[in-house]
Amino acid sequence: MWRVSNDQSNPFEDRAFLTFVVFATIAMAWIIMPFFGAILWGLVSAIVFSSVNDRLLLKMRGRKNTAAGLTLLLVIAIVIVPLIMIGSLLVDQALDTYTRLQTRQIDVGRAVQDVRDALPGWARGMLDRFGVGDLDALRGKLDSVATSAARIGAAQAVNVGSSAFNFVMSLGVMLYLTYFLLRDGRQLTRRIGEAIPMRADTRRDLFDKFTTVIRATVKGSIVVAIVQGLIGGIVFALIGVEAALLWGVVMGILSLVPAIGAGLIWLPVAVYLFATGAVWQGVVLVLAGVFVIGMVDNVLRPILVGKDTRMPDYVVLISSLGGIAVVGINGFIVGPVIAAMFIAAWGIFRTELQEAKVESLEPPPAP
């Protein structure tokens, strides 16, 4: 199978060579693992912007280097630069929020007290009945959670600043890889496909599914999350909520996960606003949350995704959370892609199995 000469194949040598191939592949994966995130997002960027690169390639009359370079500049202008600017502002707000929590300028316990005082007697009775009537204990827990969350956020912000060299290196690897994937992606895909011991139609179906899920995840999830977080942050800023950018980013992240969504942030804030007498701010937040933020997913996702394959929400939820648990924030991409490959592989297997059963039931041709 792996013969390079006309000599008769030796099974032991074939197995030894296959072992070497597996070992070399594992070693290569181990070497590039520190740049897993950079490689992943380079691949994602190349897939998402491949249509733009194809259009530029037509206008440039086949000049691959120029088309890929212009596409890369577009990626930097509309993705990288805005993210760096938002990240810098986010670091400032995270550190400021942590400082204000430490100095009690933001008193979570007092906010809980205000909400409880505004509740009617029957509601306070229900809280007591469900075991959450111990206000001091509840305040202590919320204070601890808020301080811990702010400390984690501030620590991550400091880590980002202290590891600027690693960040710049990873960003450089991502952009460098994106350029070559845009320029030579089709040839690389063909060569990889030729090396995979799989039928051509099956291999093509899996590759198509892979690219479709990446595009659908980016367009249908990340873009929607950005829009929801942006709207939420603007509304928070307009009604005077502190650290609006920070809360907008949190809402965007939560909106990536089905069945959770941005409501986990804006709804408690709306309750607090009503409880503390800020009625018009609470009304504005509820209206924006229900009719703007909540409707973005239903309106924008079909426009962005179109006829792209969409997995059930429960599969996206489980695969996203599982991906985050395994590989961190990159799990938002890795989890759904693995789930889609799993579903596609079993779908192809089921189809081939049914075809095999049909063929076995057909009568043999007449002699």
Side-chain angles (χ1 to χ4, degrees):
M1 185 178 184
W2 295 282
R3 286 181 297 175
V4 295
S5 66
N6 294 326
D7 297 334
Q8 186 176 0
S9 175
N10 187 318
F12 175 77
E13 292 177 352
D14 289 344
R15 287 195 295 269
F17 180 69
L18 179 59
T19 303
F20 176 77
V21 171
V22 172
F23 175 78
T25 303
I26 294 174
M28 185 63 184
W30 174 61
I31 289 295
I32 66 175
M33 188 56 66
F35 295 101
F36 171 77
I39 295 171
L40 172 66
W41 288 105
L43 178 62
V44 169
S45 300
I47 291 175
V48 171
F49 286 89
S50 60
S51 59
V52 177
N53 184 71
D54 291 341
R55 293 191 187 99
L56 289 174
L57 193 60
L58 289 175
K59 293 182 179 180
M60 298 295 171
R61 298 180 180 180
R63 288 182 289 180
K64 294 183 178 181
N65 292 332
T66 304
L70 291 176
T71 306
L72 185 63
L73 290 177
L74 184 64
V75 172
I76 294 173
I78 69 176
V79 178
I80 303 301
V81 172
L83 283 178
I84 291 176
M85 295 175 62
I86 293 174
S88 177
L89 295 173
L90 184 62
V91 167
D92 293 338
Q93 287 203 358
L95 292 173
D96 180 66
T97 301
Y98 175 67
T99 302
R100 291 166 68 85
L101 281 169
Q102 289 292 93
T103 59
R104 294 290 179 178
Q105 296 180 45
I106 299 178
D107 192 348
V108 179
R110 183 63 202 174
V112 175
Q113 180 69 58
D114 292 339
V115 172
R116 180 179 173 81
D117 292 342
L119 293 175
W122 62 268
R124 289 196 293 269
M126 288 185 63
L127 292 177
D128 294 337
R129 194 175 302 114
F130 284 104
V132 291
D134 189 350
L135 187 60
D136 291 334
L138 182 61
R139 290 176 61 179
K141 291 179 181 178
L142 289 177
D143 272 336
S144 176
V145 170
T147 303
S148 298
R151 184 185 299 115
I152 292 172
Q156 292 298 321
V158 172
N159 288 337
V160 170
S162 62
S163 59
F165 176 75
N166 291 334
F167 171 77
V168 171
M169 182 179 294
S170 296
L171 180 61
V173 170
M174 190 210 88
L175 295 176
Y176 190 74
L177 181 61
T178 300
Y179 171 80
F180 283 101
L181 288 176
L182 287 169
R183 193 190 71 174
D184 306 322
R186 296 187 187 281
Q187 292 87 337
L188 289 173
T189 302
R190 185 171 60 252
R191 293 180 64 180
I192 292 173
E194 292 172 351
I196 296 177
M198 192 180 297
R199 288 190 334 193
D201 55 344
T202 302
R203 183 173 64 241
R204 183 173 56 253
D205 290 342
L206 290 177
F207 277 16
D208 291 343
K209 186 70 173 180
F210 177 79
T211 56
T212 297
V213 170
I214 293 255
R215 289 196 183 101
T217 301
V218 172
K219 293 190 298 181
S221 297
I222 295 181
V223 173
V224 170
I226 291 173
V227 173
Q228 288 185 324
L230 179 63
I231 294 174
I234 291 174
V235 173
F236 271 32
L238 291 176
I239 63 178
V241 176
E242 296 183 5
L245 176 63
L246 178 62
W247 292 120
V249 172
V250 174
M251 280 190 282
I253 292 174
L254 290 175
S255 66
L256 285 169
V257 184
I260 297 179
L264 195 62
I265 298 297
W266 66 259
L267 187 57
V269 173
V271 172
Y272 172 75
L273 291 174
F274 282 119
T276 55
V279 178
W280 75 265
Q281 292 95 330
V283 170
V284 169
L285 183 55
V286 170
L287 291 177
V290 174
F291 295 106
V292 182
I293 299 175
M295 294 300 295
V296 164
D297 184 79
N298 296 329
V299 174
L300 194 58
R301 190 186 298 270
I303 297 175
L304 292 172
V305 177
K307 297 181 180 179
D308 288 349
T309 302
R310 184 179 180 184
M311 293 181 293
D313 284 345
Y314 64 88
V315 176
V316 178
L317 173 63
I318 296 174
S319 61
S320 297
L321 294 178
I324 294 170
V326 175
V327 297
I329 192 66
N330 296 321
F332 280 119
I333 296 289
V334 176
V337 168
I338 292 177
M341 292 296 99
F342 171 80
I343 294 173
W346 276 98
I348 294 172
F349 177 75
R350 183 186 61 184
T351 301
E352 293 183 350
L353 186 62
Q354 291 174 347
E355 292 175 353
K357 288 181 178 179
V358 171
E359 292 177 357
S360 64
L361 294 176
E362 291 180 353

